[in-house]
Amino acid sequence: MNIQRVIPYFCTMSERIEHLQQIIKSLPESPGIYQYFNTEGVIIYIGKAKNLRKRVSSYFTKTHDNAKTRILVRNIYNIRFIVVETETDALLLENNLIKEHQPKYNIQLKDDKTYPWICIKNERFPRVFSTRNIIKDGSKYYGPYPSVFVVNTLLDLFKEIFPLRTCNYDLSKKNIDLGKYKACLEYQIGNCKAPCIGLEGEDTYNEYIEQIEQILNGNIPFVIRILKEKMQESADNLAFEEAEEYKTKINALEKYRKKSTVVASTINKVDVITLEKNDKSAYVNYLVISHGTIIHGFTVEVKNKLDETDEEILAFTLINMRDKFNSQSKEILVEDSTKMEEIEGLSFFTPQRGDKKHLLDLSKRNAKYFMLQRQKQEVLKNPEVKVERILKKIQEDFRLKELPVYMECFDNSNIMGTNPVSACVVFRNARPSKKDYRHFIPKTVQGPDDFETMREVVYRRYRRLLDEEKELPQLVVIDGGKGQLSAALEALEKLNLRGKLPIVGIAERLEEIFFPGDSIPLYLDKKSESLKVIQNMRNEAHRFGIEHHRNRRSKASLTSELIGIEGIGEKTQEILMHQFKTLSKIKAASFNELADVVGQAKAKILIEFFKK
């Protein structure tokens, strides 16, 4: 193994470039790892290579599309390399050094949780318990487990089957022979056979521990077979109570095995690793299979810094996971074995059917669920993340040049042309901005002409925004099909806004999205977030327009009846409408209630009129 010494970092730009070129020329064409340092002598990136000279020189000769890679190259002030025998050695060494130094530009496993382990203590008459701290004292640790519930389930199973001690006494032979301890309550209730006072031998106790280790390693059939042999032996010796105890233990193990086994028991010593990815992170699920049972299942988030490939992320994570779980499996199930880097002693396989394919699908689902869960957590912590994602989706679906932070939607309401109104609702950041809503009462349209009404209100809306030099929306939505959209386009053309102001129409029956000049509508996925926002805008415009239309209709109905009352003028009518809202409430009002609003004289006129 050859290590290049690090020389002083403080030099001019030209000296730095010359120094780096000299190092690159001296690099061997062998497998190894390389380390990049900044001006302060801190490692900022560690990489592996089949050919060190070729790989390192590529950083300084290629034009990099990734901005992070360009920044990395600008910050390299020195290079250090280590030559190894094989590519596998390079992969293992790279992994260890990344974990040790945590360079700024390397991918990192984002796992800030401390997961529980099951510990079999290195002591005479070993205790079995859960812990989150690993102490290198010769004890055996199994895990980590994704939840405390799984750990407690296993410990409860062991307690049910095996009479293990729970005390922390030093049960050395000397202490037991001297009679330093007394049997506790656990012995009295049958949970422990009191090795502390010499009532249980070490060989028998160690048999329990061996069987527990087999269970933790997934070899439950082996333990069941041993217990069945002991049960038969007890029955042959007419020790039926003892045989019944063994039977109870076997039943408990069988029950646990049924819950744990997901594939054929013939599948043994297999690891499964799959990946899901979004813009920011990769989510890798890792399963350890032993004797047809998943004994470990773990998903981690991987922060990819320089647009690493899926295969690089999987290889990095696999090495970490195998080390973490002390996996001895030689067969690894992956989605595409042809793209995986070769790792000495391991074989990659992509199953197409059967139980192994089910395992691969299960791992993939777990990775996806974990990713969705993390995304939900991010949204809860920062709602702006969800808003930005939705706006980007709308921008993509509706072919917009700008992010549609500000959108408007128009809808018309009338009954046979009577009391027509148009509504304009405003959405900012994909949410209603009710203070910006506007009503329009058509001024030039006679009768129920929906197209002419749309043409007028769109023109009036944007004529005013232009006159007042206010911001224009990034998207306009017209409730209606091709006809309404064409009318709105004519209004924009008069204002010289056609082609400058993005506009679409939405037809309610089939949720068709129409674009100007395109006869074929767009059909968005019914579950699409962008469609849901557009539907929300359309529904809100409809609600707002109908509400105002009903108010106008009610007001017109009320006014028409009051007009015929002699002595009740327009001013009084307005006061009555403002106070009572409806004609029925005016009719139901008492003399005093009316008098308080319009005076006794007019109250008397109203009472007498309504009595007729």
Side-chain angles (χ1 to χ4, degrees):
M1 185 179 288
N2 178 33
I3 301 179
Q4 178 73 23
R5 291 186 177 276
V6 179
I7 69 169
Y9 302 94
F10 303 98
C11 53
T12 65
M13 181 64 72
S14 59
E15 289 173 332
R16 176 179 77 93
I17 294 172
E18 184 180 351
H19 167 61
L20 293 177
Q21 288 174 342
Q22 290 299 321
I23 294 178
I24 293 170
K25 288 178 182 179
S26 68
L27 289 173
E29 295 184 351
S30 307
I33 67 102
Y34 53 92
Q35 299 168 312
Y36 293 152
F37 294 79
N38 63 12
T39 54
E40 298 172 353
V42 176
I43 297 175
I44 57 175
Y45 186 75
I46 298 172
K48 67 180 185 308
K50 297 178 184 178
N51 184 317
L52 278 169
R53 184 187 300 175
K54 186 176 179 181
R55 180 73 182 102
V56 174
S57 63
S58 69
Y59 281 90
F60 301 92
T61 56
K62 288 182 179 179
T63 301
H64 299 285
D65 296 330
N66 188 299
K68 289 182 180 178
T69 306
R70 294 196 296 270
I71 295 171
L72 165 67
V73 173
R74 285 203 298 268
N75 283 282
I76 298 172
Y77 273 73
N78 212 337
I79 303 171
R80 180 179 179 179
F81 67 90
I82 302 175
V83 176
V84 295
E85 296 294 329
T86 66
E87 294 173 37
T88 300
D89 292 336
L91 177 63
L92 295 172
L93 181 57
E94 177 202 35
N95 191 278
N96 290 333
L97 290 174
I98 289 173
K99 283 196 290 186
E100 179 183 352
H101 297 287
Q102 297 288 304
K104 180 178 179 181
Y105 292 97
N106 277 104
I107 58 176
Q108 295 173 1
L109 296 181
K110 188 182 179 186
D111 185 15
D112 52 1
K113 291 183 180 179
T114 303
Y115 291 91
W117 299 72
I118 290 179
C119 173
I120 298 179
K121 194 68 176 173
N122 180 27
E123 59 191 0
R124 200 162 179 261
F125 300 99
R127 287 169 291 155
V128 181
F129 56 90
S130 67
T131 181
R132 292 180 185 269
N133 300 313
I134 296 178
I135 303 171
K136 295 184 178 180
D137 59 355
S139 299
K140 295 181 180 179
Y141 292 88
Y142 295 85
Y145 291 90
S147 74
V148 177
F149 176 77
V150 175
V151 172
N152 290 338
T153 299
L154 286 168
L155 292 177
D156 288 344
L157 177 69
F158 299 153
K159 187 176 181 180
E160 181 182 347
I161 298 174
F162 307 107
L164 302 174
R165 74 173 179 119
T166 57
C167 62
N168 58 2
Y169 296 149
D170 178 9
L171 299 187
S172 65
K173 191 173 187 306
K174 180 181 177 182
N175 288 342
I176 294 173
D177 291 343
L178 290 174
K180 290 186 67 173
Y181 309 114
K182 292 181 179 181
C184 64
L185 180 63
E186 289 293 303
Y187 169 70
Q188 302 297 334
I189 62 178
N191 289 340
C192 176
K193 292 188 176 180
C196 56
I197 58 175
L199 294 184
E200 182 168 46
E202 191 173 0
D203 291 341
T204 304
Y205 195 96
N206 286 339
E207 283 184 18
Y208 304 154
I209 297 301
E210 182 183 349
Q211 293 171 16
I212 288 171
E213 289 178 355
Q214 292 288 345
I215 294 171
L216 291 172
N217 284 320
N219 196 0
I220 299 174
F222 170 80
V223 180
I224 291 175
R225 187 169 63 250
I226 296 296
L227 292 175
K228 282 183 176 179
E229 290 174 1
K230 289 182 177 293
M231 180 181 71
Q232 187 60 48
E233 183 181 338
S234 298
D236 292 343
N237 295 330
L238 304 180
F240 297 116
E241 289 186 4
E242 189 176 88
E244 183 63 28
E245 289 180 7
Y246 284 122
K247 185 179 180 182
T248 302
K249 294 177 181 180
I250 292 168
N251 290 340
L253 279 174
E254 290 282 9
K255 185 178 179 181
Y256 174 72
R257 185 186 178 193
K258 286 178 181 177
K259 290 182 178 179
S260 304
T261 303
V262 294
V263 290
S265 58
T266 53
I267 299 180
N268 185 31
K269 299 294 182 185
V270 173
D271 290 354
V272 187
I273 189 165
T274 57
L275 174 147
E276 282 286 337
K277 202 173 182 182
N278 59 21
D279 295 338
K280 297 180 180 179
S281 299
Y283 301 86
V284 181
N285 177 259
Y286 177 72
L287 302 177
V288 180
I289 316 300
S290 179
H291 299 281
T293 301
I294 298 176
I295 60 173
H296 294 300
F298 207 70
T299 308
V300 292
E301 181 180 359
V302 184
K303 290 290 185 182
N304 47 321
K305 302 296 183 68
L306 296 178
D307 283 349
E308 290 83 1
T309 65
D310 292 355
E311 291 71 37
E312 288 174 325
I313 294 171
L314 284 171
F316 175 79
T317 310
L318 179 63
I319 296 299
N320 274 280
M321 292 293 101
R322 287 178 62 81
D323 180 56
K324 191 181 190 80
F325 292 100
N326 193 28
S327 173
Q328 303 301 314
S329 305
K330 302 300 181 184
E331 182 181 0
I332 316 296
L333 304 184
V334 295
E335 292 180 87
D336 190 348
S337 58
T338 61
K339 294 182 179 180
M340 293 300 297
E341 297 184 40
E342 289 186 12
I343 301 177
E344 188 177 347
L346 299 182
S347 62
F348 295 98
F349 176 61
T350 303
Q352 300 300 318
R353 62 183 67 85
D355 290 319
K356 289 185 177 180
K357 179 64 166 63
H358 293 324
L359 273 174
L360 196 66
D361 293 341
L362 176 66
S363 175
K364 188 73 174 174
R365 284 199 303 274
N366 274 279
K368 185 173 183 178
Y369 292 153
F370 188 85
M371 179 180 71
L372 294 174
Q373 184 183 28
R374 282 295 173 92
Q375 288 175 345
K376 288 178 182 177
Q377 290 172 353
E378 286 182 9
V379 169
L380 290 174
K381 291 179 183 177
N382 185 10
E384 284 73 17
V385 173
K386 180 179 180 181
V387 171
E388 185 179 357
R389 186 186 72 245
I390 293 173
L391 293 179
K392 284 182 178 179
K393 184 62 177 172
I394 296 173
Q395 183 181 16
E396 177 187 340
D397 288 342
F398 291 87
R399 313 163 195 172
L400 305 175
K401 295 179 181 179
E402 297 180 75
L403 205 64
V405 176
Y406 166 27
M407 297 181 288
E408 293 188 345
C409 181
F410 291 86
D411 182 39
N412 298 329
S413 297
N414 67 75
I415 296 179
M416 301 298 292
T418 62
N419 305 304
V421 295
S422 291
C424 172
V425 297
V426 176
F427 271 47
R428 296 187 185 274
N429 292 316
R431 300 187 185 98
S433 178
K434 294 190 177 183
K435 64 182 179 64
D436 296 319
Y437 286 11
R438 294 293 181 268
H439 283 129
F440 293 89
I441 298 175
K443 297 178 180 178
T444 61
V445 182
Q446 300 295 326
D449 191 334
D450 202 27
F451 300 154
E452 194 62 41
T453 302
M454 187 64 72
R455 189 178 294 111
E456 179 189 328
V457 297
V458 169
Y459 179 86
R460 285 168 56 189
R461 172 63 173 170
Y462 297 116
R463 173 76 275 167
R464 180 161 188 169
L465 290 183
L466 290 172
D467 290 343
E468 296 178 357
E469 298 183 352
K470 289 185 177 179
E471 175 191 12
L472 293 173
Q474 283 89 35
L475 178 64
V476 178
V477 179
I478 302 298
D479 181 18
K482 295 180 183 178
Q484 287 87 346
L485 179 61
S486 297
L489 280 168
E490 290 175 20
L492 295 183
E493 198 158 4
K494 285 183 182 179
L495 297 168
N496 197 29
L497 289 177
R498 182 162 183 168
K500 300 177 183 178
L501 188 58
I503 185 168
V504 296
I506 177 169
E508 187 170 354
R509 190 170 64 88
L510 297 175
E511 305 294 29
E512 299 168 313
I513 307 295
F514 290 97
F515 289 83
D518 193 344
S519 61
I520 300 175
L522 170 70
Y523 294 94
L524 294 175
D525 188 322
K526 300 300 181 186
K527 296 180 181 179
S528 166
E529 287 182 312
S530 56
L531 178 61
K532 288 180 180 178
V533 172
I534 300 303
Q535 287 174 328
N536 192 12
M537 291 178 68
R538 187 264 316 283
N539 295 341
E540 186 68 357
H542 189 63
R543 179 201 63 79
F544 189 57
I546 287 290
E547 183 181 272
H548 190 57
H549 171 70
R550 285 173 179 164
N551 289 340
R552 287 197 70 213
R553 200 172 69 219
S554 176
K555 181 178 177 181
S557 175
L558 177 61
T559 303
S560 65
E561 290 205 37
L562 293 177
I563 285 174
I565 305 174
E566 188 176 346
I568 303 298
E570 289 185 11
K571 184 68 175 176
T572 305
Q573 292 169 19
E574 289 179 8
I575 294 171
L576 287 168
M577 286 187 291
H578 178 75
Q579 182 66 29
F580 294 100
K581 309 299 184 186
T582 66
L583 186 63
S584 60
K585 288 183 180 180
I586 296 175
K587 290 179 178 180
S590 66
F591 176 81
N592 291 334
E593 288 174 334
L594 292 171
D596 289 340
V597 175
V598 296
Q600 292 186 3
K602 291 181 180 179
K604 186 177 180 181
I605 294 173
L606 290 168
I607 292 292
E608 290 178 354
F609 180 82
F610 292 136
K611 282 181 180 179
K612 294 179 182 179

